[in-house]
Amino acid sequence: VPRLVPGVARSLRFWGRVVPIYVRYKQTQVGLASCGVAEVRKKRWAVRHEWGGEMVRKLCTDLRGFYLKDGQFIGSRADFVPRAWCRELSRLQDRVPAVDVKEIVATVREEFGVNSVMQVFGEFDVVPLASATIAQVHVARLKDGTAVVLKSQYADQEGLCKLDLRNLRRLARFLQAGAMAFFDMLSIVDEFERQIPFEFDFKREAEMMQTISKNLTAAGISPKLVIVPALPDPSLVTRRAIVQEYIRGCKVDDIKTLESWMIDRRQLMLRLGAAYGQMILVDGVFHADPHPGNLLVQYDGRIALIDFGQCKQLREEDRINLCKFYLAMASRSELATARAFGALGIELDIDPRLFPGGERELISMAATYANGLLDTRPLPESVEIDPFSSESPLKKAPIRKFPSHLFMVLRTMG
């Protein structure tokens, strides 16, 4: 019972935030149904999206847990959600409220079997370097002077995330049955449920970090183009705490610093492309959380990949199909792209009556989705996949099935 009551209270807090957001959006939708002036509709929706983005951000920061991670993902998809939401939710990437350092110290003592953090470190900064979804990061120095960072999990987060996923599954089922029937949201929840246990296992994170580092080194990409943090002491890796090399740098979207360092941003993209092409298409094991806070540019132009909590290992069949898909995309052939897109197992709910252009228009639609979902190229300005837009192709051709095992590719490449 003591464990049940906080869970019920958390669920009530979640639904108490979500329901008003949903109701306000439905009110706006109904209120504008008979409005024939496009400019008026656009302004009304802009106001609603500004409010909605702020409400969702506050939900994520107040409840934390898995809602933070979900908000970070949504905030990275300007092609699928209103830009006002993206502006608000992008703040979750590096402005997450910190927890009391006492909680972090308690985890360190328990995981490393010590009475004080100073038995492990020569120096320890009590002010966090960063606060993330499930853990907090502090700068420290080992006894030999090596600069490191400690990543330590918050207490009771794993149970909270499992509860949050159950609430999100209920929400996805409700929305998919009605207002947002245009995308297979349940498959996304399925994949998160598979991946979450991995994120709470820092031993697995260390293994993925070392595997990817070894693969990129063998390919000649690391340390020439990108770098991966080292693990200075394997004994300082447990399921809930990990100590790794401290790598300084600026976020990949910090344009002001990049310009002051005279960094060629096109070269940055080529380096990232080489690294992710190798990880996804050749090795089939990749870093699946490349938001700007996890991509640190060095003064010499190399890029450090940090935070390997979300890594994905592809099945060989999926890796090969993705190779064929990106070759088709590179050919710029809409027909080849549409065929390769379908071969990935993605299914659209097509009503031929809505496509007067026939097969040619259907092929073009599939190619547009391929670009929007799984490619880094921006969509043409004339295309708005934003589901709230009356011009969104999702209204004409909903995504009936999106294979859950491809979600991390969507999250990474989109």
Side-chain angles (χ1 to χ4, degrees), residues 309-326:
Q310 284 288 335
C311 290
K312 177 71 176 177
Q313 186 156 13
L314 296 169
R315 299 179 303 183
E316 183 65 4
E317 176 187 359
D318 297 324
R319 185 188 69 80
I320 292 172
N321 282 336
L322 283 167
C323 287
K324 293 176 180 178
F325 169 77
Y326 285 112

Side-chain angles (χ1 to χ4, degrees), residues 333-348:
S333 165
E334 286 194 337
L335 178 58
T337 298
R339 286 174 173 170
F341 184 69
L344 292 174
I346 302 168
E347 298 177 8
L348 305 182

Side-chain angles (χ1 to χ4, degrees), residues 104-142:
I104 302 304
V105 169
T107 300
V108 170
R109 291 170 60 187
E110 181 179 344
E111 292 297 302
F112 296 150
V114 296
N115 295 318
S116 166
V117 291
M118 300 316 293
Q119 290 179 251
V120 179
F121 305 109
E123 298 176 19
F124 180 80
D125 191 345
V126 297
V127 178
L129 175 68
S131 297
T133 313
I134 69 165
Q136 193 154 288
V137 179
H138 288 257
V139 176
R141 285 189 182 276
L142 298 180

